[in-house]
Amino acid sequence: MVKNKYLYMMLTPVLLYFIIFHYFPMYGSIIAFKDFNPRLGIGGSAWVGLEHFKDFFGGMYFWRVFKNTLMISLYDLIFGFPAPLILALLLNEVKNALFKRSVQTITYLPHFISLVIICGMIKDFTSSDGVINDIIAFFGGERVTMLLEPSFFRTIFVSSNIWQHIGWGTIIYLAALSAIDLEQYEACKIDGGGRWKQMLHITLPGLLPVFVILLILNIGRIMSVGFEKIILLYNPTTYVSADVISSYVYRIGLQDFQFSFSSAVGLFNSVINFALVIGSNWISRKLNNTGLW
Amino acid sequence: MRVSLGEHIFRVCNTLFLSALMIVTMYPILYVAFASFSEPALMMAHKGILWKPLGFSLETYGAVFSNPMILLGYRNTLFIVIVGVALNLLLTSFAAYALSRKTLQYRKQLTLIIVFTMFFSGGLIPFYLLVRGLGITDTLWALILPTAISAFNLIIMRTSFEAVPDALEESAKIDGANDFGILFRIFLPLCKPVLAVVGLYYGVSHWNSWFNAMIFLQDRSLYPLQLILREILIIGEATSMAEGASQDEIIILGETLKYATIMVATLPIFLVYPLLQKYFVKGALIGAIKG
């Protein structure tokens, strides 16, 4: 009898799933180097080498989508990423358990609302007769249809992300906070350290490993900003600030059916992403011995 | 304990800030709720912040529930969620159990093969071509099979299975149980909280997903709720919903119809939320422990 035969029976459908739905598309991405013809299939289509990559890098939209991808991700990283950490630090100072739980319950909630609804709400609230414009008009400002203004896109994108996920993001930090040894705080107090010193020397170092791991994961996602949200929110007038690599892939590939060209763009994106994860993990291992692996 | 003045000020500011945050988080949701119960005509004329429903009317809810597309969308989504989550939990627990057994040869390598997919993907177009090649487009399977397992949830579950004492498995083996028996009779009942969290994650993601439906479904009778919502909320076809109404009525009704639709589509999540909230923290934490 084969040892562990039942375990292999369990693993078979699982491995089949990963091979079919994850590894096969990786193989399929070789159409980025081919002139894909659906009739000939992935294997049968003719090789064209790096032609699609050259077209992309030399094309008029390369800098636009590249810049937008980086800008939106960086804004998200600078403003969105530390937000849950700050909220967790503030929540940690709350002594009233009921108040603390209320803040948590309410701020977790938007995390579960669907993207389509979130974007529907954004569209409604930012329209020229929406609540936000009502408030602006009340203070004497000018009404603007914000989703038609390229200059507003990134702010809307990032701030609504913070609104939706800030509470959820605190869970992990709060757990890390509760794992910090209370005796360390006592020791710091005895040494004359006030609140601020305690936070600087005990709390923040205690949160560092979690922070670094999340940072690596986020850096790995820099090139793949939530494109579903972008597709829902952008329109041709805001492409100039909103179109990112992945939304470009979607448009060129699935709306214009240039399969090979958009695969090349997509592959470029995946490779950079992967390199970013590997790179940031390596740096973090060198610097403070924490990493994903 | 003596509380310094600085600390007092900090506490007051902190409480004020967190209260403001709660209001900012809740208000958009409350606005939608208030607007959905308002009289369409009053809502149409209204400008500025809403503090309560304007009048009270369930007219728009009537229009939402009598809309055949919404009902169909609901039905399709329910099918996807129920069948999808069942398949998700079955396969994820198989994988989690097998990969958590130390007797499994090549355990590390198999885990690596799976975890690698979290960081590298073939991209959208090859994925699209694959699903099309499998011939499952224009069936609900195109929304269920490609998301049958999430590597992230698999790791959450594997971590909790690893915490189960080995002795339980050994004694069950001596009693003649095979791995399937051990998984279903011992591990899953012991790990119910994690099963609930992972089930919730899967359920929410099925409930909320729209993109795969958009690219794989042509047949409108298969549309899940979110895709219908996209037409109403994003593309702005709210007016097409109020069949049989006059042009003026349609415009007036359209104003509140969006909000009622949002409420109806989010309600199930708001209802399960309090029941599962106590498990969130546990689930999110296990997920944070690296694989």
Side-chain angles (χ1 to χ4, degrees):
Chain A
M1 192 186 99
V2 187
K3 195 173 160 225
N4 292 327
K5 102 180 139 176
Y6 294 107
L7 293 185
Y8 287 116
M9 279 164 70
M10 288 179 185
L11 272 176
T12 307
V14 175
L15 290 174
L16 273 177
Y17 164 78
F18 281 101
I19 290 167
I20 296 175
F21 287 103
H22 293 269
Y23 283 92
F24 192 79
M26 288 184 207
Y27 160 73
S29 61
I30 63 168
I31 66 166
F33 304 98
K34 291 189 164 207
D35 200 1
F36 179 67
N37 178 334
R39 218 163 26 83
L40 301 174
I42 294 171
S45 298
W47 293 97
V48 295
L50 295 174
E51 196 183 299
H52 298 301
F53 290 90
K54 281 183 200 144
D55 285 351
F56 174 51
F57 296 135
M60 61 190 293
Y61 294 123
F62 174 73
W63 281 112
R64 183 171 90 178
V65 293
F66 189 71
K67 188 184 128 204
N68 286 342
T69 307
L70 281 185
M71 295 282 270
I72 294 179
S73 285
L74 282 180
Y75 282 144
D76 215 26
L77 206 60
I78 294 167
F79 298 104
F81 183 67
L85 174 70
I86 294 166
L87 178 59
L89 290 176
L90 293 179
L91 271 173
N92 193 44
E93 301 294 332
V94 173
K95 297 288 175 285
N96 182 332
L98 182 69
F99 180 65
K100 187 172 169 179
R101 202 154 359 107
S102 316
V103 178
Q104 287 181 277
T105 305
I106 286 179
T107 53
Y108 292 172
L109 194 58
H111 180 80
F112 291 94
I113 301 178
S114 81
L115 204 56
V116 173
I117 287 179
I118 296 284
C119 293
M121 285 164 70
I122 293 173
K123 192 177 171 225
D124 191 75
F125 291 158
T126 60
S127 71
S128 65
D129 57 354
V131 201
I132 296 179
N133 272 307
D134 287 344
I135 296 170
I136 291 173
F138 177 80
F139 287 106
E142 193 90 18
R143 286 179 185 272
V144 260
T145 307
M146 297 174 177
L147 282 179
L148 291 179
E149 288 292 326
S151 57
F152 280 108
F153 190 86
R154 290 167 191 152
T155 313
I156 293 174
F157 184 90
V158 173
S159 52
S160 59
N161 263 3
I162 297 177
W163 177 80
Q164 201 183 359
H165 302 297
I166 186 172
W168 187 253
T170 60
I171 291 183
I172 224 171
Y173 291 117
L174 285 171
L177 279 170
S178 65
I180 296 174
D181 194 354
L182 288 176
E183 280 176 25
Q184 291 191 39
Y185 286 106
E186 292 301 325
C188 186
K189 263 186 223 161
I190 291 165
D191 291 342
R195 280 265 165 193
W196 184 246
K197 280 270 164 60
Q198 288 173 37
M199 193 182 86
L200 224 54
H201 296 298
I202 299 167
T203 311
L204 286 182
L207 292 181
L208 197 66
V210 177
F211 186 81
V212 168
I213 288 176
L214 292 179
L215 190 64
I216 295 173
L217 284 172
N218 271 276
I219 289 174
R221 271 186 236 127
I222 277 190
M223 301 297 283
S224 55
V225 270
F227 84 109
E228 290 194 21
K229 191 170 172 185
I230 289 182
I231 297 179
L232 288 171
L233 287 179
Y234 78 174
N235 55 59
T237 53
T238 47
Y239 281 174
V240 62
S241 67
D243 197 17
V244 295
I245 298 179
S246 43
S247 56
Y248 183 62
V249 170
Y250 160 72
R251 229 176 34 254
I252 300 302
L254 297 186
Q255 294 186 332
D256 299 347
F257 300 106
Q258 301 185 39
F259 291 135
S260 278
F261 177 72
S262 58
S263 290
V265 180
L267 191 60
F268 165 73
N269 209 14
S270 298
V271 168
I272 293 198
N273 258 337
F274 190 62
L276 284 170
V277 179
I278 302 277
S280 48
N281 192 58
W282 184 79
I283 291 171
S284 128
R285 288 223 74 117
K286 287 270 163 200
L287 289 180
N288 54 19
N289 235 355
T290 19
L292 284 171
W293 59 84
Chain B
M1 204 179 77
R2 205 171 49 86
V3 181
S4 71
L5 179 66
E7 197 155 341
H8 248 307
I9 296 172
F10 170 75
R11 279 190 197 170
V12 171
C13 291
N14 195 17
T15 309
L16 286 177
F17 175 79
L18 293 176
S19 307
L21 185 75
M22 276 201 281
I23 294 169
V24 170
T25 309
M26 246 353 245
Y27 185 72
I29 301 170
L30 284 177
Y31 180 95
V32 171
F34 293 157
S36 74
F37 290 115
S38 295
E39 302 265 4
L42 292 174
M43 194 59 209
M44 182 88 185
H46 175 78
K47 286 260 174 285
I49 289 178
L50 275 185
W51 297 112
K52 57 177 188 357
L54 303 167
F56 184 81
S57 159
L58 291 175
E59 195 185 336
T60 42
Y61 281 91
V64 171
F65 279 116
S66 61
N67 181 279
M69 276 317 283
I70 299 242
L71 295 180
L72 203 61
Y74 238 102
R75 211 192 60 192
N76 289 330
T77 294
L78 278 181
F79 177 83
I80 296 162
V81 169
I82 291 167
V83 176
V85 171
L87 184 73
N88 288 148
L89 288 179
L90 185 75
L91 289 181
T92 308
S93 54
F94 277 177
Y97 177 78
L99 294 176
S100 70
R101 296 307 90 199
K102 291 186 189 69
T103 52
L104 183 79
Q105 301 95 317
Y106 305 114
R107 191 165 77 117
K108 280 227 170 85
Q109 289 84 338
L110 290 169
T111 310
L112 187 71
I113 287 174
I114 290 171
V115 170
F116 180 70
T117 62
M118 288 170 74
F119 299 105
F120 193 81
S121 85
L124 178 64
I125 306 302
F127 171 70
Y128 171 80
L129 292 175
L130 164 78
V131 174
R132 232 177 51 163
L134 291 173
I136 52 174
T137 43
D138 255 327
T139 70
L140 291 180
W141 294 110
L143 314 184
I144 294 171
L145 293 179
T147 51
I149 309 173
S150 123
F152 183 77
N153 288 341
L154 164 60
I155 288 169
I156 294 185
M157 224 192 238
R158 192 199 64 168
T159 311
S160 89
F161 282 177
E162 277 173 348
V164 176
D166 290 340
L168 282 175
E169 185 195 348
E170 278 154 30
S171 66
K173 280 231 163 103
I174 292 165
D175 292 343
N178 68 29
D179 286 304
F180 284 96
I182 298 172
L183 171 64
F184 286 111
R185 300 229 188 93
I186 299 175
F187 278 68
L188 291 180
L190 275 177
C191 298
K192 263 190 212 138
V194 169
L195 209 59
V197 176
V198 169
L200 173 80
Y201 287 174
Y202 278 130
V204 169
S205 85
H206 281 302
W207 181 272
N208 287 344
S209 77
W210 62 281
F211 184 75
N212 284 358
M214 181 179 76
I215 62 178
F216 293 133
L217 300 181
Q218 302 280 317
D219 182 353
R220 287 179 64 83
S221 70
L222 293 174
Y223 275 17
L225 187 59
Q226 300 296 335
L227 211 52
I228 312 276
L229 287 175
R230 175 174 165 269
E231 295 190 341
I232 297 168
L233 301 173
I234 310 289
I235 308 179
E237 288 176 1
T239 48
S240 69
M241 287 175 60
E243 279 174 45
S246 77
Q247 199 57 40
D248 288 350
E249 279 173 339
I250 285 173
I251 294 170
I252 294 172
L253 201 59
E255 191 61 24
T256 43
L257 210 49
K258 292 181 283 197
Y259 304 112
T261 318
I262 292 177
M263 292 302 287
V264 168
T266 318
L267 215 59
I269 294 214
F270 286 171
L271 290 179
V272 254
Y273 178 78
L275 302 175
L276 289 157
Q277 205 202 349
K278 58 179 172 176
Y279 298 129
F280 287 170
V281 176
K282 204 177 275 171
L285 289 188
I286 304 169
I289 300 167
K290 46 186 166 166

